[in-house]
């Protein structure tokens, strides 16, 4: 059932910001499928791109693991140029319909993998640095987390905070990212009850996962504060460079 608040929100959203194609920005699309007919073949090809390592579709790939995360849900191979562009657009613009659409794809995958019963009791997200939040003026990972939480009818909670950046992540080599992540996040004290998380099975949301060191560190912090089982969902995986 839709409550009146939700109806108002949807109306305002639809009237003030009509759906736009998430790949090219054209308004020739719908709220439930925010991709225009011209871009659809490109989207479909990107969505059918398998894992670089095992060749399986993301829903079936089992070759990629992230420390401290018991289950992974992801949609795209980041190597696809249209996916890269989409993620860059999401950082700069609020693509509400695209986030809703992609959140629904992630939840579909979750339902398939968990036989219709996702084991999560809340949704949280990898927080952006203050600088990034100021620069982009919104946080697409948090917005994606809110859409996923809404679809799963779970609370979306800020369980982690960013503690500041020591060197940009991009400039760090893969080996050092693990250590870099340790100084970048902490549990959000405001969300804790007697120093512990009031949730046992959080679902962590991010946009792109590369080595998984950032998400793994966030999951470690959640476990340190009492989480028993952490799931991770994200839009795209950057496959390892061929050696
Ligand atoms: Zn388009
Ligand atoms: Zn794989």
């Amino acid at each position: 059932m839709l409550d009146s608040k939700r109806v108002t929100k949807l109306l305002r959203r639809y009237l003030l910001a009509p759906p736009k194609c998430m790949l090219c920005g054209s308004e020739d699309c719908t709220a439930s499928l925010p991709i225009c007919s011209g871009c659809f073949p490109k989207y479909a090809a990107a969505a059918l791109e398998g894992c670089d390592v095992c060749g399986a579709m993301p829903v079936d790939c089992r070759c990629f693991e992230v420390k401290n995360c018991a289950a992974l849900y992801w949609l795209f191979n980041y190597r696809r140029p249209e996916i890269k562009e989409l993620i860059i657009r999401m950082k700069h613009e609020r693509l509400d319909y695209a986030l809703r659409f992609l959140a629904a794809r992630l939840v579909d995958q979750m339902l398939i993998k968990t036989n219709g019963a996702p084991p999560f009791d809340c949704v949280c997200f990898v927080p952006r640095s203050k600088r990034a939040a100021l620069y982009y003026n919104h946080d697409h990972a948090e917005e994606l987390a809110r859409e996923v939480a809404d679809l799963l009818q779970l609370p979306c909670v800020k369980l982690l905070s960013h503690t500041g950046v020591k060197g940009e992540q991009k400039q760090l080599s893969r080996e050092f990212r693990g250590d870099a992540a340790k100084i970048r996040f902490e549990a959000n004290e405001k969300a804790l009850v007697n120093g512990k998380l009031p949730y046992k099975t959080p679902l962590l949301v991010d946009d792109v996962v590369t080595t998984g060191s950032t998400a793994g560190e966030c999951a470690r912090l959640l476990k340190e504060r009492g989480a028993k089982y952490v799931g991770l969902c994200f839009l795209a995986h950057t496959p390892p460079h061929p050696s």
Side-chain angles (χ1 to χ4, degrees):
M1 264 292 276
L2 285 174
D3 57 42
S4 60
K5 239 182 174 175
R6 179 98 185 273
V7 172
T8 316
K9 185 178 149 194
L10 287 174
L11 276 177
R12 192 178 297 142
R13 205 189 243 192
Y14 202 87
L15 291 174
L16 292 181
K20 281 185 188 166
C21 170
M22 64 186 192
L23 295 186
C24 75
S26 146
E27 288 187 10
D28 175 26
C29 64
T30 63
S32 52
L33 184 63
I35 307 164
C36 74
S37 50
C39 290
F40 193 79
K42 269 198 284 179
Y43 170 80
L48 289 171
E49 175 95 20
C51 162
D52 269 7
V53 179
C54 68
M57 295 290 293
V59 64
D60 295 319
C61 164
R62 298 280 183 281
C63 72
F64 165 54
E65 288 182 353
V66 173
K67 263 192 191 165
N68 303 310
C69 295
L72 306 187
Y73 312 97
W74 55 283
L75 299 177
F76 305 112
N77 186 324
Y78 191 66
R79 198 162 46 78
R80 298 288 304 202
E82 41 291 272
I83 299 303
K84 259 185 210 169
E85 273 172 41
L86 169 63
I87 304 240
I88 292 168
R89 274 168 68 86
M90 282 188 158
K91 280 188 185 172
H92 289 89
E93 288 174 54
R94 276 195 65 139
L95 301 178
D96 286 345
Y97 298 97
L99 287 166
R100 184 78 176 175
F101 173 81
L102 297 169
R105 302 288 78 75
L106 284 165
V107 170
D108 284 348
Q109 186 179 124
M110 226 170 278
L111 292 171
I112 292 169
K113 286 185 167 174
T114 60
N115 292 323
F120 306 108
D121 59 1
C122 78
V123 179
C124 62
F125 49 92
V126 175
R128 294 283 164 266
S129 68
K130 285 204 177 78
R131 203 170 69 175
L134 273 175
Y135 179 74
Y136 294 116
N137 204 20
H138 75 127
D139 178 351
H140 59 297
E142 176 177 352
E143 285 151 14
L144 179 66
R146 294 206 179 280
E147 297 293 350
V148 169
D150 193 43
L151 291 165
L152 291 172
Q153 298 188 306
L154 293 174
C156 182
V157 194
K158 183 173 163 57
L159 296 181
L160 298 159
S161 309
H162 202 285
T163 56
V165 192
K166 261 201 182 176
E168 277 292 298
Q169 173 97 353
K170 276 181 215 158
Q171 292 157 9
L172 298 167
S173 72
R174 278 169 182 251
E175 304 94 277
F176 293 111
R177 282 192 185 182
D179 289 325
K182 283 195 181 104
I183 43 168
R184 294 170 62 223
F185 303 102
E186 62 187 12
N188 175 17
E189 294 296 329
K190 286 182 203 151
L192 303 177
V193 178
N194 298 325
K196 290 273 178 201
L197 291 181
Y199 303 97
K200 292 282 174 256
T201 55
L203 174 68
L204 180 65
V205 175
D206 203 359
D207 60 347
V208 179
V209 167
T210 305
T211 62
S213 66
T214 297
E217 173 59 13
C218 288
R220 191 190 68 75
L221 287 166
L222 296 173
K223 285 184 147 181
E224 195 176 79
R225 298 305 183 117
K228 298 283 178 238
Y229 180 103
V230 180
L232 172 64
C233 88
F234 51 100
L235 294 174
H237 172 38
T238 312
H241 298 294
S243 48

